């Protein structure tokens, strides 16, 4: 009926015109009350309301001020014969959404210069007293009494910028760098205040572009897979510096950001995946945290067969890894029960190709199989296999081999430590390999422009004899991320990517006469 259609139109559009429309509706009903059909139609007003009409009433922007509902055919207006007096004043109650919008309009929010938290003007001073008392005192009581937020924010931001410059000078100056705790003690602020300020400053700096081209293995609208060269960091030390793989990827994408879900060591080459779609970052990152993503490495090793038998078999190393007492950067296998830093570590190995090589045998051959090394039997656990295989004679056989390594846990230097523990260290490894005795750390390898610089250099006593062959004096460990398998979070498609071997490992393999 005309009156009801107008009411529906008012609910959907302008509810303020409702009193006038109700007046029109009342007059229309009074004019037609004498007809017999009206009484019949009014009886249907007590029928149950349809879900569709009730939903419309609830979704209306009137906030429920109208205590009416319509029947399916719109025959009658009220429930329980409610009559609206056209001369009475109707009170409007705004919806929650309208209340929030009006609240934001009348009470704007401000961002804390120290932690970037969003606060209303009424609680802004209370927040600064807890978060950054130095800013609260720098603004001054007179400015707080004026309640002029524009003036307060200008003074707060000015003091925050001055404090930030002083924090940067103390924390990032070469030769006299301080920790966060030392900076906080010097400036008489809390350590959390220093961390928040430096973190916000770091995020505000966009990553630099590095125009050096990257070797793309695969790329679509969601991911970018590249072959990382050696002597290159996955991400920079500081955002304002370049010389990292992600800086090159940003340049490759025309300045668009990409996201890191895993990384490789600076001296390790191979396949690495970056996510272009931010909505998929968590889906890919969780696969690396839960070890659902399968990573396979190629390592060029020189030593003895870990199982002490002429028969070449796949093997497993299940040995906890802890910090090293001799080298701060290094790691070591530790079975001590009182070593709280030791973490469970497990890696499986298989031989891609190998050959006997007595000339490159390590100086001190092991007299027994290393603890935690056992034959890898598919479908069995490592608990009882190790005890069974420990019995028998030990026959150290010197070999040079290209080994496939699959880490089952993610510890620092895990593959390198486990291979060295098994008696088959990686060629060129300056920490755990056969070249460790002839190297010293480079002081400039940790600087911002350290691209293409190895972390170690040869000492005055350079390798001699068998290790002095051209191609075997690598400046890094011969470790390469060969294959990566992940699942696409949206399509559940299993993706596999492979990266070819770098030139320095190919040259060493040719010198050793190993197929690849």
């Amino acid at each position: 009926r005309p009156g009801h259609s107008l009411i529906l139109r008012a609910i959907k559009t302008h509810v303020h015109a409702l009193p006038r429309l109700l007046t029109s509706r009342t007059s229309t009903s009074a004019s037609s009350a004498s007809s017999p059909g009206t009484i019949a139609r009014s009886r249907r007003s007590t029928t149950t309301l349809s879900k569709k009409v009730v939903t419309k009433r609830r979704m209306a922007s009137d906030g429920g001020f109208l205590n009416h509902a319509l029947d399916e055919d719109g025959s009658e207006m009220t429930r329980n014969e409610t009559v609206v007096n056209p001369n009475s004043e109707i009170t409007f109650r705004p919806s929650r959404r309208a209340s929030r919008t009006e609240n934001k309009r009348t009470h704007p929010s401000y961002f804390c210069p120290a932690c970037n938290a969003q606060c209303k003007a009424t609680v802004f001073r209370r927040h600064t007293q807890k978060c950054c008392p130095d800013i609260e005192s720098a603004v001054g009581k007179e400015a707080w009494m004026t309640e002029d937020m524009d003036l307060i924010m200008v003074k707060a931001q000015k003091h925050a910028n001055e404090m930030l410059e002083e924090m940067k000078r103390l924390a990032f100056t070469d030769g006299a760098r301080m920790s966060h705790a030392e900076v906080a003690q010097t400036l008489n602020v809390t350590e959390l205040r220093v961390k928040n300020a430096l973190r916000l400053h770091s995020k505000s700096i966009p990553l630099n572009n590095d125009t050096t081209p990257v070797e793309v293995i695969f790329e679509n609208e969601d991911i970018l897979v590249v072959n990382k060269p050696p002597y290159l960091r996955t991400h920079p030390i500081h955002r304002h510096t370049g010389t990292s793989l992600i800086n090159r990827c940003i340049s490759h994408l025309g300045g668009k950001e990409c996201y890191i879900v895993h990384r490789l060591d600076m001296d390790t080459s191979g396949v690495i995946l970056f996510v272009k779609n931010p909505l998929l970052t968590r889906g890919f990152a969780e696969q690396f945290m839960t070890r659902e993503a399968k990573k396979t490495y190629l390592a060029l090793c020189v030593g003895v067969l870990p199982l002490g038998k002429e028969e070449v078999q796949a093997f497993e190393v299940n040995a906890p890894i802890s910090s090293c007492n001799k080298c701060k950067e290094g790691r070591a296998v530790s079975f001590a029960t009182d070593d709280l830093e030791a973490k469970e570590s497990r890696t499986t190995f298989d031989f891609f190709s190998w050959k006997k090589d007595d000339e490159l045998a390590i100086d001190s051959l092991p007299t027994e199989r290393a603890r935690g090394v056992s034959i890898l039997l598919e479908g069995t656990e490592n608990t009882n296999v190790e005890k069974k295989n420990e019995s028998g004679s030990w026959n150290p056989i010197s070999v040079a081999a290209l080994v496939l390594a699959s880490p089952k846990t993610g510890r620092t230097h895990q593959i390198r430590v486990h291979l060295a523990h098994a008696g088959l260290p990686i060629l060129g490894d300056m920490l755990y390999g056969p070249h460790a005795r002839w190297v010293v750390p480079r002081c400039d390898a940790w600087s911002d422009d350290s691209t293409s610089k190895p972390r170690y250099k040869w000492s005055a006593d350079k390798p001699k004899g068998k290790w002095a062959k051209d191609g075997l004096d690598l400046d890094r460990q011969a470790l390469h991320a060969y294959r990566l398998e992940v699942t696409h979070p949206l399509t559940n498609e299993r993706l596999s990517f492979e990266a070819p071997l770098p030139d320095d490992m190919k040259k060493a393999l040719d010198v050793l006469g190993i197929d690849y």
Side-chain angles (χ1 to χ4, degrees), residues 311-330:
E311 182 183 0
V312 175
Q313 293 177 302
F315 64 98
E316 178 185 45
V317 179
N318 193 348
I321 294 179
S322 180
S323 59
C324 181
N325 298 328
K326 298 180 180 179
C327 178
K328 182 179 179 181
E329 183 186 353

Side-chain angles (χ1 to χ4, degrees), residues 156-223:
Q157 193 64 51
K158 180 181 178 181
H159 177 76
N161 293 338
E162 294 175 355
M163 290 291 291
L164 177 61
E165 293 298 326
E166 190 67 16
M167 293 177 187
K168 289 163 54 179
R169 184 185 67 83
L170 297 174
F172 299 142
T173 302
D174 292 335
R177 296 188 178 184
M178 293 184 179
S179 63
H180 290 166
E182 294 173 342
V183 174
Q185 185 177 4
T186 304
L187 299 179
N188 196 21
V189 294
T190 62
E191 186 177 353
L192 181 61
R193 167 82 168 89
V194 177
K195 288 182 179 179
N196 289 336
L198 295 179
R199 178 178 56 85
L200 290 176
H201 170 68
S202 176
K203 287 187 175 182
S204 65
I205 301 175
L207 291 174
N208 294 334
N209 293 349
D210 190 342
T211 57
T212 307
V214 294
E215 183 181 347
V216 179
I217 300 175
F218 176 82
E219 182 180 5
N220 60 10
E221 63 276 5
D222 295 329
I223 59 176

Side-chain angles (χ1 to χ4, degrees), residues 137-347:
S137 59
V139 171
K141 293 183 179 180
E142 296 180 358
W144 288 112
M145 293 297 293
T146 60
E147 297 184 357
D148 186 357
M149 289 304 300
D150 294 335
L151 175 63
I152 292 173
M153 290 304 299
V154 168
K155 291 189 174 184
Q157 193 64 51
K158 180 181 178 181
H159 177 76
N161 293 338
E162 294 175 355
M163 290 291 291
L164 177 61
E165 293 298 326
E166 190 67 16
M167 293 177 187
K168 289 163 54 179
R169 184 185 67 83
L170 297 174
F172 299 142
T173 302
D174 292 335
R177 296 188 178 184
M178 293 184 179
S179 63
H180 290 166
E182 294 173 342
V183 174
Q185 185 177 4
T186 304
L187 299 179
N188 196 21
V189 294
T190 62
E191 186 177 353
L192 181 61
R193 167 82 168 89
V194 177
K195 288 182 179 179
N196 289 336
L198 295 179
R199 178 178 56 85
L200 290 176
H201 170 68
S202 176
K203 287 187 175 182
S204 65
I205 301 175
L207 291 174
N208 294 334
N209 293 349
D210 190 342
T211 57
T212 307
V214 294
E215 183 181 347
V216 179
I217 300 175
F218 176 82
E219 182 180 5
N220 60 10
E221 63 276 5
D222 295 329
I223 59 176
L224 172 64
V225 185
V226 299
N227 186 9
K228 175 188 171 299
Y231 316 123
L232 182 67
R233 293 187 178 91
T234 303
H235 51 79
I237 298 178
H238 303 295
R239 294 178 66 91
H240 60 273
T241 61
T243 66
S244 72
L245 184 59
I246 192 172
N247 296 104
R248 298 182 182 183
C249 291
I250 290 175
S251 178
H252 172 78
L253 297 175
K256 297 181 180 179
E257 288 190 1
C258 56
Y259 305 92
I260 299 175
V261 292
H262 73 117
R263 72 178 191 90
L264 296 175
D265 290 340
M266 177 179 175
D267 295 335
T268 303
S269 58
V271 58
I272 186 170
L273 180 143
F274 295 94
V275 180
K276 297 166 60 176
N277 187 352
L279 301 178
L280 302 180
T281 304
R282 183 177 181 86
F284 280 107
E286 286 182 346
Q287 297 181 43
F288 290 92
M289 290 187 291
T290 59
R291 304 302 164 191
E292 182 183 348
K294 184 178 180 181
K295 298 181 288 184
T296 306
Y297 293 79
L298 282 173
L300 180 54
C301 308
V302 176
V304 298
L305 292 179
L307 299 177
K309 299 180 180 180
E310 293 187 4
E311 182 183 0
V312 175
Q313 293 177 302
F315 64 98
E316 178 185 45
V317 179
N318 193 348
I321 294 179
S322 180
S323 59
C324 181
N325 298 328
K326 298 180 180 179
C327 178
K328 182 179 179 181
E329 183 186 353
R331 300 293 186 271
V333 170
S334 175
F335 288 96
T337 57
D338 58 346
D339 190 351
L340 301 179
E341 296 184 6
K343 297 181 180 180
E344 180 184 358
S345 307
R346 178 172 171 263
T347 314

